[in-house]
Amino acid sequence: MEQVTREMKRIKQDPERRRDYMKYELDLMDARSDGMAIGLAEGKKQGLEQGKQESIVAAAKMLLGLELSRTVIVKQLMSAYDLSSAEAERYLKRAQE
C-alpha cells in the first residue's frame, strides 16, 4: 500500500505524467458517457418495438372479440401496421394464446 502511495505522489509531481493521467481519466469519462448514450438509445429502441408489438397484439385481441373472421383480422392488421401476411398471422396467434 505504501508503494502505491509513493507512486501516486511521484505521478502527481511529474507534470507530464499528471497530464497523461488526467487525459486518461477524461477519456474514461467520455467512454462511459458514450456507452451510456448508446445504451439509452438501444433501450429506447427496444422499448418502442416492444410497445408496438404489444399494441398489435391488443388490436388483434380486440378484433377477435368482435368475432371477425381470421381473414378479415389478418387484413386489418396488415393494413393498420404495415405487416406482411405472415407477420399478421403471428400476431393473431399471440393474441389467441
Side-chain angles (χ1 to χ4, degrees):
M1 184 70 171
E2 189 176 311
Q3 184 181 2
V4 171
T5 304
R6 280 196 313 263
E7 184 63 21
M8 290 302 296
K9 283 182 181 179
R10 194 171 68 81
I11 289 172
K12 288 179 181 179
Q13 291 172 357
D14 182 348
E16 187 173 331
R17 284 185 136 193
R18 186 175 182 165
R19 189 172 34 255
D20 289 344
Y21 179 76
M22 292 301 288
K23 183 181 180 321
Y24 172 76
E25 285 294 317
L26 289 172
D27 288 346
L28 280 178
M29 287 172 43
D30 287 345
R32 276 188 225 118
S33 179
D34 290 348
M36 287 176 58
I38 290 168
L40 287 172
E42 185 62 29
K44 182 177 180 180
K45 179 180 173 184
Q46 288 176 359
L48 289 172
E49 181 60 31
Q50 183 178 355
K52 176 183 175 184
Q53 292 176 9
E54 289 172 3
S55 71
I56 296 171
V57 171
K61 285 181 180 180
M62 181 197 64
L63 293 170
L64 282 168
L66 296 174
E67 299 180 6
L68 300 172
S69 73
R70 183 175 195 84
T71 305
V72 170
I73 294 172
V74 168
K75 286 183 181 181
Q76 288 296 317
L77 293 176
M78 289 172 60
S79 173
Y81 296 99
D82 194 28
L83 302 173
S84 69
S85 176
E87 290 171 323
E89 288 283 351
R90 280 195 300 271
Y91 282 111
L92 181 55
K93 184 176 179 180
R94 281 178 57 189
Q96 291 174 317
E97 295 174 347

